[in-house]
Amino acid sequence: MASNSTTSSGSLVKSGLSNKSLKVMSGSSHVGTGGLSGESLNIFNTLSAEDQASLTNVGQSAYVEAAKVGGGSYIQAVSSSRAVGVVIPSKTGAIDDHFHNGNFDLNVHLPSGTGLKLEGPELLLTATETKNYFGNLINELIPGQSSYKDAFNAAVTKAANHSGDGSAVHLLSPDDQFAGSGYLGLSGTPDIKETVVINMYGVKSSHAVQISDFDSSVIAGSGSVNIAGSIGAFVVGDAADQKITGGSGNDTLFGGGGNDILTGGSGADIFGIGFTGNTMITDFNSAAGDKLSFDSSMTLQSLLRAEVSIVHVGAFAITDIALDGHNIYLVGVDPSQLTLNMIQFSS
């Protein structure tokens, strides 16, 4: 997604690639470190035994580049048809840099002790290919029962259809080992459509991931995601409990299943409603153009049969809309303020 932003507190740089960005060599036949030479091989050899061992667990078959990034390192490889990049964490400070992996450029803010794996096909994909790509990864990505996998596939389908054909596709998996407060920052690519899955299973519950400039994002696993910037985001959660906070653009936020908390921020936001778990919307504002979006399986007749009640918590009125065991909580909204103009049905 095209964007130009500058570095400031709580935002990510979007000014193109640095000289530390690496391009994978497609079709490399080297195995292990055989593809490394010169400075890249020297950098690899400076990694601790623990860091080198960690690389053997990510499915890579051919290391082709290595570079120093801040106090950490970036190792890039080819694995089957995928381009794979791994950021070895800095133990002395944050990493703020740009990475190129396959057809995808990524800007990151990784606090001390935080690593990142980024992987995706080297070609742009159609929406159908995007669904199939993540469908093939689902068993290694989503632990547990089939209902979580079904919810993940549904989220990917929404994101892929929104991005459409010709999208760069990546799985981003932070390895969050830093202590204290802070955030992990991930920012997308200028002039390229991208569909990303943010793997939250490696992120501590006390830390948030800040994202910006992705066309479509799927959040896999429980956690908090904050959207930076003024470009409208399209973010879909799976069946886990998630807290998703929008930016200043016109955002579309789907909690998926689970017990989700959605905050749109400024702008005319669309809040997607799932049919499992519960959804709390903290700042629904019809005057700003906010809308509730229901799946096409929900009919207007079914919605009109919903039980609507109100509770007061301190100075706040909270409207509770009960739909077949699923509750939608609208903070600061009185039932008398609800109109059909606030509702839409999506495909």
Side-chain angles (χ1 to χ4, degrees):
M1 180 179 293
S3 171
N4 289 291
S5 62
T6 56
T7 302
S8 62
S9 176
S11 65
L12 296 173
V13 71
K14 285 286 293 175
S15 58
L17 299 176
S18 73
N19 58 7
K20 295 173 184 172
S21 301
L22 305 171
K23 184 170 178 60
V24 74
M25 294 187 287
S26 178
S28 171
S29 61
H30 296 291
V31 177
T33 61
L36 300 175
S37 62
E39 183 62 19
S40 286
L41 183 58
N42 291 336
I43 291 170
F44 186 91
N45 288 335
T46 63
L47 298 178
S48 68
E50 179 184 1
D51 286 338
Q52 289 192 20
S54 70
L55 292 171
T56 66
N57 299 323
V58 294
Q60 299 164 340
S61 59
Y63 306 129
V64 295
E65 297 275 7
K68 298 297 292 182
V69 286
S73 302
Y74 181 57
I75 310 298
Q76 195 167 49
V78 172
S79 177
S80 302
S81 60
R82 285 184 281 176
V84 182
V86 177
V87 181
I88 303 296
S90 166
K91 297 178 175 61
T92 59
I95 294 175
D96 291 277
D97 217 301
H98 316 271
F99 300 104
H100 184 94
N101 192 66
N103 54 32
F104 186 81
D105 298 332
L106 181 71
N107 299 292
V108 304
H109 169 77
L110 301 175
S112 176
T114 302
L116 176 70
K117 179 185 175 186
L118 47 154
E119 58 183 303
E122 297 184 83
L123 300 177
L124 301 178
L125 301 187
T126 65
T128 298
E129 290 170 338
T130 298
K131 299 170 200 174
N132 291 338
Y133 178 79
F134 286 118
N136 291 333
L137 294 178
I138 194 168
N139 287 329
E140 65 181 81
L141 178 62
I142 306 295
Q145 61 267 47
S146 61
S147 61
Y148 275 73
K149 296 176 181 179
D150 292 342
F152 175 77
N153 280 329
V156 167
T157 296
K158 282 186 180 292
N161 289 342
H162 178 260
S163 291
D165 296 342
S167 180
V169 173
H170 260 65
L171 169 64
L172 305 177
S173 301
D175 180 17
D176 174 10
Q177 299 299 325
F178 80 100
S181 60
Y183 72 96
L184 289 70
L186 304 171
S187 182
T189 307
D191 304 321
I192 297 179
K193 290 192 298 183
E194 60 283 293
T195 305
V196 300
V197 170
I198 312 293
N199 178 6
M200 299 293 290
Y201 286 97
V203 179
K204 293 180 179 179
S205 60
S206 58
H207 296 151
V209 174
Q210 178 176 287
I211 64 174
S212 63
D213 299 343
F214 299 125
D215 286 82
S216 301
S217 304
V218 174
I219 311 304
S222 298
S224 298
V225 173
N226 300 328
I227 299 162
S230 60
I231 297 177
F234 188 95
V235 180
V236 190
D238 64 1
D241 298 344
Q242 290 147 349
K243 180 180 180 182
I244 305 173
T245 302
S248 58
N250 299 331
D251 301 314
T252 300
L253 311 178
F254 288 86
N259 297 309
D260 303 309
I261 300 174
L262 307 180
T263 301
S266 58
D269 302 309
I270 296 173
F271 299 95
I273 306 301
F275 294 100
T276 59
N278 302 295
T279 303
M280 175 176 285
I281 301 171
T282 68
D283 66 341
F284 188 83
N285 183 358
S286 60
D290 290 354
K291 291 186 180 294
L292 301 176
S293 179
F294 293 89
D295 188 271
S296 58
S297 60
M298 169 63 71
T299 65
L300 180 59
Q301 289 74 21
S302 297
L303 187 58
L304 291 174
R305 290 196 296 269
E307 296 182 8
V308 180
S309 60
I310 184 171
V311 296
H312 292 274
V313 179
F316 292 99
I318 300 178
T319 291
D320 177 5
I321 304 172
L323 292 164
D324 298 324
H326 173 74
N327 292 77
I328 306 164
Y329 301 104
L330 304 178
V331 178
V333 177
D334 189 278
S336 63
Q337 298 173 313
L338 299 177
T339 70
L340 291 180
N341 291 333
M342 301 176 186
I343 296 169
Q344 68 179 36
F345 297 92
S346 62
S347 58

